[in-house]
Amino acid sequence: MPKKTVRDVDVAGKRVLVRVDFNVPLKDGHVSDDTRIRASLPTIDYLRERGCRVILMSHLGRPKDGPDPAFSLDPVAARLGQLLGVPVRKVNELTGPGVESAVGSMAPGEVLLLENSRFDPREKKNDPSLVAELARLGDLYVNDAFSAAHRAHATTAGLAAVLPSCAGFQMEKELEALDSLLTAPRRPFVVVLGGAKVTDKIKVIARFLDLADQLLIGGAMSLTLLKASGVSVGASKVEEEGLVVAREALAKAGISNCDLVLPRDFIVADAFAEGAATQVAAADAIPDGWMGLDIGPRTATDFASRIGGAGEVFWNGPMGVFEMPPFAGGTRSVAEAMAASTGITVVGGGDSVAAVNKFGLADKIDHISMGGGAALEFIEGAALPGVVELPDKEPV
Ligand code: ADP
Ligand code: MG
């Protein structure tokens, strides 16, 4: 059931508390990647145009014990102001008398950013006293932070239970893209998974073995699966705790209609280092002492052609250690094949999205999920607290 959005409620002139995801990387006191801030602009603009007083809430990083200037949202307010073309006021607290008077003096169309929600220890506990203090600031709660929706925190879920609420445009976009992928993918539906750990993604593997036509697996994950199938993988990074679930996945693949495709070759190295000696090895002939750090050229070509023939593709997780140029080729060829594909293309996951951005291909992908962990939990079929709390759209 689709969620009510800002289009479905009367927002005009209201004080609107908007949960955004401004958890952006900072460098030397500046925002080094503003993708997430840009993603919130359609919702903020829509509300400003309707005379709302827009009060923004976000977390940033993982501050340990209360307020920590290194995690202040000051640089975010500065960048947001540049993007909106109007100054953004920023307060140094999340709630309290200072915040209340700042909200009280807002004019219609103005934007106020509250301080990092995780500076308040009550945020992560979804503490009712914090929810009540925040609720006093607004008439309406808008959740536009899909990427934080797997957390039941005060600003991500608690407020939706006490204020009239709805989804913002970014939340709507993320839910629509993932929902259509899970319920009505265009076929053939090809899924590409990679990254570090099988245990992190085992439920995602299981779900896609039910849903996809082909499941292509690369990255360190594929080496754990190969080892579980009895192949020697040399000194490759293998997740020993993952071997049991890897065997379960292989067994499930054996009885599923989905083709599980593992790499047939790897770029192997004699050390985990950019300057290591490298060679191409067949997947069943990785020499002792060598480690697979990227999928090999035959695998990359095979994956690219399967992606090219897909009606829809979902990709999560790099094919190799793409942070080091000698081992970025497999990830690059998957990214390029997706960019060139005529099917619907969706990328999710922190490192895969970083890779797509690094290769300059982001604008050639249909949907880039900023979801990360939330997207994977959604795919697993989990109910996300920040989503379930939002009211459904009324049937027309
Ligand atoms: P995502 O954030 O896209 O979900 P993950 O966090 O699961 O992806 O995994 C990304 C990490 O996996 C990267 O840091 C990458 O270097 C690492 N990785 C991928 N392939 C290998 C490999 N063969 N050996 C070691 N590490 C790998
Ligand atoms: Mg990651």
Side-chain angles (χ1 to χ4, degrees):
M1 188 66 159
K3 295 293 175 181
K4 211 177 247 186
T5 76
V6 285
R7 271 188 233 94
D8 305 312
V9 292
D10 180 18
V11 299
K14 292 199 167 136
R15 297 173 306 155
V16 187
L17 279 161
V18 187
R19 178 51 155 100
V20 287
D21 178 5
F22 287 167
N23 184 25
V24 292
L26 301 176
K27 207 178 170 198
D28 307 324
H30 293 281
V31 175
S32 57
D33 178 349
D34 63 6
T35 311
R36 287 184 158 165
I37 304 179
R38 288 175 187 275
S40 72
L41 297 178
T43 300
I44 298 172
D45 284 336
Y46 181 92
L47 296 171
R48 290 189 61 226
E49 283 160 14
R50 282 156 187 80
C52 299
R53 293 160 175 82
V54 182
I55 304 148
L56 303 173
M57 306 170 288
S58 177
H59 76 284
L60 176 85
R62 295 166 187 256
K64 291 256 152 39
D65 324 285
D68 175 346
F71 296 101
S72 164
L73 287 173
D74 287 345
V76 173
R79 185 71 194 122
L80 176 63
Q82 288 168 350
L83 292 169
L84 287 172
V86 294
V88 168
R89 263 182 82 186
K90 155 85 182 26
V91 284
N92 295 325
E93 303 83 27
L94 185 61
T95 58
V99 177
E100 283 176 31
S101 78
V103 170
S105 67
M106 285 173 83
E110 268 188 2
V111 181
L112 175 75
L113 176 60
L114 307 184
E115 187 51 283
N116 191 338
S117 60
R118 291 199 186 158
F119 285 2
D120 192 319
R122 297 173 297 171
E123 158 77 331
K124 284 178 143 186
K125 296 180 188 135
N126 194 5
D127 186 316
S129 71
L130 175 59
V131 174
E133 285 169 31
L134 284 166
R136 274 212 298 277
L137 305 172
D139 311 305
L140 172 71
Y141 167 73
V142 174
N143 191 344
D144 211 17
F146 174 74
S147 38
H150 55 321
R151 315 268 185 228
H153 294 173
T155 63
T156 62
L159 278 167
V162 300
L163 279 180
S165 47
C166 66
F169 295 122
Q170 178 62 23
M171 171 72 88
E172 179 186 40
K173 212 169 116 192
E174 294 269 10
L175 289 174
E176 271 178 7
L178 293 177
D179 209 53
S180 87
L181 183 123
L182 296 176
T183 55
R186 282 213 225 152
R187 305 220 173 243
F189 178 29
V190 175
V191 172
V192 189
L193 293 180
K197 291 184 173 175
V198 175
T199 41
D200 281 356
K201 294 180 186 171
I202 185 65
K203 288 190 188 141
V204 176
I205 295 175
R207 187 90 202 263
F208 282 131
L209 283 171
D210 287 331
L211 288 175
D213 298 299
Q214 299 175 29
L215 176 54
L216 322 180
I217 299 191
M221 258 170 78
S222 65
L223 289 150
T224 302
L225 284 159
L226 283 168
K227 173 148 188 194
S229 77
V231 169
S232 159
V233 296
S236 300
K237 179 179 166 149
V238 162
E239 191 194 1
E240 297 296 333
E241 329 77 76
L243 288 172
V244 174
V245 291
R247 267 181 221 112
E248 283 164 19
L250 293 168
K252 185 174 166 85
I255 53 169
S256 137
N257 289 324
C258 173
D259 280 339
L260 176 68
V261 185
L262 293 174
R264 51 176 95 178
D265 60 351
F266 286 94
I267 308 274
V268 297
D270 64 353
F272 190 87
E274 228 177 291
T278 64
Q279 56 175 302
V280 175
D284 58 2
I286 297 177
D288 284 347
W290 291 66
M291 58 189 82
L293 293 185
D294 194 10
I295 55 173
R298 290 177 61 211
T299 304
T301 305
D302 177 40
F303 282 13
S305 93
R306 290 171 185 273
I307 291 166
E312 183 147 0
V313 196
F314 174 77
W315 174 34
N316 166 281
M319 297 292 101
V321 186
F322 75 104
E323 298 92 337
M324 301 183 195
F327 313 111
T331 302
R332 179 188 280 275
S333 66
V334 163
E336 284 172 351
M338 290 204 59
S341 164
T342 53
I344 299 173
T345 49
V346 181
V347 180
D351 292 291
S352 350
V353 171
V356 167
N357 284 328
K358 183 170 154 180
F359 303 140
L361 298 169
D363 59 347
K364 298 201 171 70
I365 304 291
D366 291 312
H367 179 69
I368 298 209
S369 172
M370 250 143 330
L376 293 182
E377 286 193 28
F378 189 83
I379 289 165
E380 289 167 10
L384 308 187
V387 176
V388 285
E389 286 293 345
L390 296 175
D392 291 337
K393 221 186 252 291
E394 272 143 40
V396 275

